[in-house]
């Protein structure tokens, strides 16, 4: 009963978000939804949004907008490719940095669908970071945590105001697979790595399309400014301009006369 009710809620939420945020439709529609009772809240791995049915139903009954915000929270993690990181990263710091980055964007979108309790508790942390960091991308926030020696206790205290999902699905056993690659045939690990890279590339393409769409939309909607700023920074840092320039490269050049532009008068005596 809970599974069906939760799925109905999430499908309704997704439809609302499609209408409200058309520029994110490719990202919103990319994720499949799947019940998983082992997850306490929700989680995403780039392919699937996993949910705990009881949690979804309970949250929706208490505060419908919290489910809207949770869904958008997970979508933005994918748009910014937050799950595609080195297994050696400090998970607690990275998780918190990513949550702050997307929650700040959702607040600045200023949509009635995304307003919910708890935003006021985020304000102090967000304003402090804005005074110290140029833009609140996850990468910059993570660097700030490291540069200022934030310990686990301090990170934990901050994270409670920004957590909306579980990030364990971001960290599969890639480190263990890499360590065992020399002793195994490598075929299984290679296949997983290839799928991982393809999925990252797919979200990179989606992110780039959203970036282009927002260039026009931002002139009409100031609420997308933070999203556009972060997209441009992240996509600029990771874009391979050699691939871009190849589109304009030619192997050779044939010189011919353009009859429409050539003026023979200058050559008549």
């Amino acid at each position: 009963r809970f599974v069906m009710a939760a799925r109905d809620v999430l499908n309704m939420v997704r439809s609302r978000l499609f209408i409200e945020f058309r520029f994110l439709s490719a990202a919103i529609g990319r994720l499949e939804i799947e019940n998983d009772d082992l997850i306490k809240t929700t989680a995403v791995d780039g392919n699937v949004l996993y949910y705990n049915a009881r949690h979804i139903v309970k949250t929706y009954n208490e505060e419908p907008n919290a489910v809207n915000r949770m869904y958008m929270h997970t979508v933005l993690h994918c748009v910014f490719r937050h799950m595609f990181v080195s297994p050696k990263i400090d998970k607690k710091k990275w998780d918190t940095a990513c949550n702050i980055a997307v929650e700040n964007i959702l607040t600045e979108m200023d949509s009635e669908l995304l307003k919910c309790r708890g935003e006021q508790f985020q304000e102090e942390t967000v304003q402090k970071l804005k005074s110290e960091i140029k833009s609140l991308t996850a990468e910059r926030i993570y660097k700030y945590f490291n540069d200022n020696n934030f310990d686990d206790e301090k990170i934990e205290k901050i994270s409670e105001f920004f957590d909306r999902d579980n990030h364990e699905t971001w960290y599969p056993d890639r480190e263990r697979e890499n360590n065992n690659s020399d002793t195994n045939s490598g075929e299984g690990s290679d296949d997983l790595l290839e799928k991982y890279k393809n999925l990252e590339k797919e979200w990179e393409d989606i992110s780039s399309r959203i970036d282009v769409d927002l260039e026009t939309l931002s002139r009409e909607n100031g609420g997308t400014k933070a999203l556009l700023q972060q997209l441009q920074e992240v996509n600029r840092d990771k874009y391979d301009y050699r691939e871009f320039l190849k589109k304009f490269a030619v192997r050779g050049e044939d010189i011919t006369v353009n009859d429409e532009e050539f003026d023979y008068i200058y050559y008549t005596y």
Side-chain angles (χ1 to χ4, degrees):
R1 189 185 76 181
F2 280 106
V3 174
M4 291 299 297
R7 179 170 287 273
D8 288 344
V9 166
L10 290 175
N11 283 330
M12 179 178 61
V13 164
R14 182 158 58 178
S15 297
R16 288 176 177 172
L17 297 177
F18 267 128
I19 296 170
E20 180 79 3
F21 307 107
R22 285 173 294 175
F23 55 90
L24 288 171
S25 59
I28 295 169
R30 171 59 182 83
L31 294 174
E32 300 174 20
I33 56 175
E34 182 179 315
N35 179 60
D36 188 338
D37 291 335
L38 296 178
I39 294 174
K40 292 182 178 180
T41 55
T42 58
V44 68
D45 62 3
N47 271 319
V48 180
L49 191 160
Y50 302 96
Y51 64 91
N52 181 293
R54 289 180 179 274
H55 171 75
I56 294 297
V57 173
K58 180 176 182 292
T59 302
Y60 184 78
N61 287 335
E62 293 176 353
E63 188 181 13
N65 275 10
V67 182
N68 298 337
R69 189 157 180 137
M70 173 279 298
Y71 204 112
M72 284 289 288
H73 182 107
T74 57
V75 166
L76 289 184
H77 280 320
C78 295
V79 169
F80 288 102
R81 287 97 72 199
H82 286 159
M83 63 283 299
F84 302 108
V85 291
S86 167
K88 297 180 180 179
I89 202 164
D90 186 315
K91 295 178 183 179
K92 286 186 178 180
K93 289 179 182 177
W94 180 244
D95 287 350
T96 302
C98 293
N99 285 337
I100 292 173
V102 298
E103 282 294 305
N104 174 58
I105 290 173
L106 295 176
T107 298
E108 293 201 9
M109 280 181 161
D110 197 31
S111 168
E112 289 300 323
L113 285 179
L114 302 178
K115 293 184 183 298
C116 56
R117 296 191 299 267
E119 287 184 48
Q120 67 273 21
F121 300 116
Q122 300 176 355
E123 185 67 18
E124 182 180 349
T125 299
V126 168
Q127 292 305 320
K128 168 66 175 174
L129 289 171
K130 283 183 175 180
S131 69
E132 301 283 346
I133 305 174
K134 179 180 178 182
S135 63
L136 296 190
T137 63
E139 292 79 4
R140 288 182 181 273
I141 298 171
Y142 180 78
K143 183 178 184 300
Y144 176 82
F145 287 159
N146 284 328
D147 290 347
N148 291 275
N149 300 315
F150 276 57
D151 57 23
D152 287 351
E153 183 179 352
K154 197 169 184 178
I155 292 294
E156 191 71 31
K157 187 176 180 180
I158 294 173
S159 68
E160 64 177 304
F161 300 122
F162 297 89
D163 284 352
R164 292 195 184 273
D165 58 348
N166 184 291
H167 296 173
E168 283 304 309
T169 50
W170 295 10
Y171 311 107
D173 294 334
R174 293 195 302 275
E175 187 170 20
R176 178 175 55 79
E177 289 169 1
N178 291 337
N179 291 337
N180 293 339
S181 61
D182 294 334
T183 57
N184 296 329
S185 63
E187 293 181 358
S189 297
D190 288 344
D191 289 343
L192 287 173
L193 184 60
E194 185 67 22
K195 289 180 179 178
Y196 181 80
K197 289 181 177 179
N198 289 340
L199 183 59
E200 182 178 13
K201 180 63 169 63
E202 183 179 356
W203 277 108
E204 185 178 340
D205 292 341
I206 291 173
S207 180
S208 297
R209 293 202 302 271
I210 294 170
D211 191 343
V212 172
D213 290 342
L214 280 177
E215 284 279 5
T216 302
L217 186 63
S218 63
R219 299 168 192 163
E220 306 168 6
N221 185 355
T224 61
K225 182 179 179 181
L227 174 58
L228 178 60
Q229 183 181 17
Q230 289 197 35
L231 274 176
Q232 289 179 334
E233 181 169 344
V234 172
N235 289 339
R236 183 185 69 238
D237 289 345
K238 296 182 179 180
Y239 194 83
D240 186 351
Y241 283 94
R242 290 174 298 181
E243 293 299 319
F244 175 76
L245 293 173
K246 282 181 182 178
K247 297 177 182 179
F248 303 94
V250 293
R251 293 181 179 277
E253 183 177 1
D254 295 326
I255 300 176
T256 59
V257 175
N258 186 335
D259 293 329
E260 295 180 358
E261 296 181 357
F262 179 70
D263 189 347
Y264 63 88
I265 295 297
Y266 293 108
Y267 300 92
T268 303
Y269 299 95

